[in-house]
């Protein structure tokens, strides 16, 4: 089988990007407080970006003879991004802290994919993963700035 670890990693991304869309959507719908008027429409573009990444990754998976997860059950079963109850009692800061953690996870997963594709010599997929990781890192920087922190993990 060609690129077995790459296929597994891409399917993990399909599941995690699907779950991440829901995390961002929950933040979008349940946010209240200072910054709402600016942040609420911004999150629409973030959801669109995650959807585009997921679609591109799923299509690449198909192109290398894989089968992407394509049901909500698949996403729930395979995602490693935590689901939290929808409540009104979390601040924008608390919600963005969760987004920061989840985007950090995605950046790390993309890095793992870059390493796997290097080992398996799937440089076309690697190129795509590098681009997506760069975009995720930029998003992470923006979230951290909203939280008054530097882009790195605990600063």
């Amino acid at each position: 089988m060609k690129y077995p670890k790459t296929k597994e990693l891409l399917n993990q991304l399909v599941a995690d990007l699907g779950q991440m869309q829901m995390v961002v959507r929950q933040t979008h719908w349940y946010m209240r407080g200072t910054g709402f008027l600016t942040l609420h429409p911004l999150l629409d573009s973030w959801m669109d970006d995650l959807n585009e990444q997921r679609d591109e990754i799923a299509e690449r998976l198909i192109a290398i003879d894989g089968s992407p997860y394509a049901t909500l059950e698949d996403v729930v079963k395979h995602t490693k991004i935590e689901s939290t109850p929808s409540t009104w009692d979390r601040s924008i800061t608390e919600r963005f802290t969760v987004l920061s953690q989840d985007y950090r996870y995605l950046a790390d997963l993309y890095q793992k994919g870059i390493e796997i594709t290097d080992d398996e010599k799937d440089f076309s997929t690697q190129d795509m993963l590098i681009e997506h990781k760069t975009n995720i890192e930029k998003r992470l920087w923006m979230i951290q700035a909203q939280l008054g922190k530097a882009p790195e993990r605990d600063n």
Side-chain angles (χ1 to χ4, degrees):
M1 177 160 45
K2 196 171 184 180
Y3 309 134
K5 291 180 181 177
T6 296
K7 290 177 190 176
E8 183 180 328
L9 183 278
L10 292 179
N11 240 343
Q12 185 64 55
L13 279 164
V14 167
D16 289 332
L17 289 166
Q19 176 66 10
M20 189 64 187
Q21 284 178 276
M22 291 305 299
V23 172
V24 173
R25 186 175 318 283
Q26 183 184 60
T27 300
H28 175 77
W29 285 341
Y30 281 84
M31 120 174 26
R32 289 182 175 167
T34 304
F36 172 85
L37 291 175
T38 304
L39 297 171
H40 184 77
L42 178 65
L43 293 180
D44 281 322
S45 68
W46 292 12
M47 287 183 285
D48 291 345
D49 187 50
L50 290 165
N51 186 56
E52 289 173 19
Q53 286 183 36
R54 185 178 185 209
D55 188 56
E56 188 175 334
I57 287 167
E59 289 173 353
R60 178 62 185 160
L61 181 55
I62 293 166
I64 61 172
D65 200 29
S67 302
Y69 299 137
T71 67
L72 291 175
E73 292 82 7
D74 287 339
V75 170
V76 169
K77 181 178 178 182
H78 296 283
T79 189
K80 294 183 180 163
I81 294 177
E82 187 176 331
S83 180
T84 59
S86 299
T87 64
W88 293 104
D89 63 348
R90 294 171 68 198
S91 69
I92 290 176
T93 298
E94 290 169 318
R95 292 186 182 284
F96 271 67
T97 298
V98 169
L99 291 178
S100 175
Q101 293 164 354
D102 292 343
Y103 272 105
R104 174 63 62 198
Y105 164 76
L106 287 175
D108 291 346
L109 187 59
Y110 275 118
Q111 181 59 44
K112 181 179 178 183
I114 292 164
E115 294 165 12
I116 288 170
T117 53
D118 195 56
D119 290 343
E120 292 188 335
K121 308 233 181 295
D122 179 6
F123 302 118
S124 296
T125 301
Q126 185 181 62
D127 185 54
M128 177 187 67
L129 297 177
I130 290 168
E131 179 184 355
H132 290 323
K133 181 179 186 244
T134 301
N135 292 334
I136 291 290
E137 288 174 336
K138 182 177 180 181
R139 181 71 27 86
L140 187 55
W141 158 60
M142 292 176 176
I143 293 167
Q144 290 293 94
Q146 174 67 27
L147 294 170
K149 298 180 178 182
E152 296 300 322
R153 288 177 200 256
D154 297 318
N155 296 333

